[in-house]
Amino acid sequence: MSTAQDLTAIDNIEQVETDVPGGPIMRRSFRKVDGRMLYLYGREPHTLAVMHQQDDAIATGGELRRHPLRSEWNIYAAHRQNRTFKPAASADPLAPTLPSGPATEIPFEDFELAVFENKFSGLHPQAPQPAPMDGAETAAAGGKCEVVIYTPEAQGSLHTIGQDRRRLLIAAWIDRYRNLFSEGCAYVLPFENRGEEVGATLHHPHGQIYGFGKVPLVQQSAIAAFRQGYDLSAEIALAMPEYGLAEAGGMAAFCPRFARFPYEVWIAPKQRRDGPWDCSADELDGLAHLLGDVTRRYDAFFGRPTPYMFALHAAPAGGCENYHFTAQFYPLLRDADRVKYLASVEQHTGVFTVDVMPETAAAALRGF
């Protein structure tokens, strides 16, 4: 553990370059006293005064070790054992900081949407070079880990935050893609872990962004498939409407015919796009709508807040020939009271057993 080295004061407001509809989007960039950056996104300039702050020691990442049989680079970050775990509502670290309350990650009384550097980051631009390990490949865990807070409210979902807040979220994702690529990240993955079944330890509506120094193996495989000519636009055309849930603004929400999870849903532009930064205003508005629509359908179908793993899959830094952007939901339920566990066969081979046929899942979700 070490204190962040760069403590240069930063507090500025500027307009974000984006095609997201609904009017201008502003970003306030603020360096906290512990050295980490905080970005506040909103329709109006954020000008509230700074409240009291914590000044804790911040970890500068772990290390990478390569698995020789799987060709994977995995993150080893022992300091994450001590990360915040299911705090009381009064100690919500993702809430605004109030005059009479404890210092939180957001040292302001209010905000619309916030992004900050993770206090318990496994990847860090100042990650130390690990000691050599005889017979094993190691590397510094370079990159960035950020937390995205969807709303100052303690409860909510991608559905309940509303269309304009989802537009704001997409604008923030696009801005972070651009910034993390410019800082040298090879691959950027915005994602959300929702629900305790997935391992979420904070209930406040939020997601995360990992900026990887190396392109992960799963993404390498997708890049290779697209470069070799895989046509996702043709697949969507073949799958619709039997596997489709909804369409909006040139975007389609559908259950992939090759889904690995029961009730897995993808959202994708019907025409090839590298990432959300490459989409039209109509497509971005359609994406915002479908993010809420899919979440609403899940919660209505299962009758409760649905635990899921969600992520955006976009092209790597520098782009990729024929890459087709997708947003992918992996729900952790196969019925309202039945969790889809990843057991021995899935974990040891990567071969999934899917209990619900994708066409059945699509028909069921279309009813909500």
Side-chain angles (χ1 to χ4, degrees):
M1 298 280 285
S2 66
T3 302
Q5 296 179 4
D6 189 352
L7 297 177
T8 306
I10 294 177
D11 190 359
N12 57 62
I13 299 173
E14 55 191 327
Q15 185 169 324
V16 173
E17 180 184 345
T18 177
D19 290 326
V20 171
I25 290 175
M26 308 301 294
R27 179 189 67 223
R28 181 177 185 177
S29 302
F30 177 79
R31 190 183 298 281
K32 300 168 67 172
V33 295
D34 60 18
R36 292 178 295 144
M37 288 301 301
L38 166 69
Y39 306 96
L40 302 172
Y41 293 87
R43 291 297 186 183
E44 301 293 332
H46 188 282
T47 58
L48 293 179
V50 182
M51 305 295 289
H52 47 289
Q53 301 183 59
Q54 293 180 336
D55 187 12
D56 297 333
I58 303 300
T60 55
E63 65 181 71
L64 301 181
R65 296 182 184 179
R66 183 179 179 276
H67 192 299
L69 303 183
R70 298 171 66 102
S71 297
E72 298 169 339
W73 285 93
N74 294 309
I75 302 168
Y76 294 78
H79 58 271
R80 285 179 53 78
Q81 273 284 71
N82 299 318
R83 65 189 184 274
T84 307
F85 185 80
K86 299 182 181 179
S90 60
D92 180 0
L94 306 186
T97 295
L98 302 178
S100 59
T104 73
E105 289 283 12
I106 314 298
F108 298 98
E109 287 190 72
D110 199 11
F111 63 91
E112 291 183 62
L113 186 143
V115 179
F116 62 86
E117 294 180 87
N118 198 327
K119 189 175 188 176
F120 304 96
S121 180
L123 302 170
H124 197 281
Q126 299 173 2
Q129 190 67 36
M133 182 176 292
D134 188 29
E137 292 184 69
T138 62
K144 273 197 173 180
C145 296
E146 299 180 336
V147 179
V148 185
I149 310 177
Y150 301 163
T151 169
E153 304 298 328
Q155 302 293 327
S157 70
L158 283 174
H159 167 56
T160 63
I161 62 174
Q163 177 71 353
D164 199 58
R165 187 59 58 86
R166 290 190 293 269
R167 291 170 178 158
L168 186 60
L169 173 61
I170 292 169
W173 282 337
I174 293 171
D175 191 55
R176 300 314 303 149
Y177 268 113
R178 289 171 174 158
N179 280 272
L180 292 171
F181 283 151
S182 71
E183 292 174 17
C185 292
Y187 194 83
V188 174
L189 186 83
F191 65 94
E192 178 188 352
N193 294 320
R194 186 191 191 206
E196 293 189 11
E197 293 91 338
V198 182
T201 58
L202 296 173
H203 296 298
H204 196 118
H206 72 287
Q208 299 181 60
I209 302 174
Y210 274 24
F212 295 90
K214 301 177 185 291
V215 179
L217 186 62
V218 169
Q219 282 66 35
Q220 289 181 34
S221 297
I223 289 167
F226 285 123
R227 280 180 173 158
Q228 292 163 14
Y230 178 70
D231 188 344
L232 184 58
S233 290
E235 169 60 28
I236 294 171
L238 288 169
M240 303 293 274
E242 183 181 0
Y243 294 81
L245 303 184
E247 297 183 39
M251 289 276 180
F254 60 99
C255 294
R257 297 189 294 178
F258 41 82
R260 297 178 307 147
F261 286 84
Y263 304 101
E264 179 176 335
V265 172
W266 289 16
I267 302 171
K270 291 192 282 186
Q271 300 299 315
R272 191 200 68 77
R273 302 285 186 259
D274 276 357
W277 62 84
D278 194 29
C279 293
S280 69
D282 284 347
E283 288 169 333
L284 294 175
D285 212 36
L287 173 61
H289 171 76
L290 292 174
L291 288 172
D293 183 66
V294 171
T295 310
R296 177 194 62 77
R297 288 176 190 272
Y298 277 145
D299 291 356
F301 176 68
F302 288 113
R304 66 181 179 104
T306 302
Y308 59 65
M309 299 174 288
F310 162 78
L312 303 185
H313 293 245
C320 166
E321 182 182 0
N322 201 45
Y323 197 95
H324 197 135
F325 159 64
T326 59
Q328 302 182 14
F329 286 87
Y330 303 160
L332 259 287
L333 297 178
R334 54 190 178 90
D335 207 339
D337 58 353
R338 297 180 184 179
V339 175
K340 165 60 181 176
Y341 292 105
L342 300 187
S344 291
V345 171
E346 282 108 340
Q347 295 284 15
H348 285 272
T349 69
V351 177
F352 279 51
T353 300
V354 184
D355 306 280
V356 179
M357 299 299 288
E359 53 269 32
T360 303
L365 292 171
R366 272 199 303 271
F368 288 86

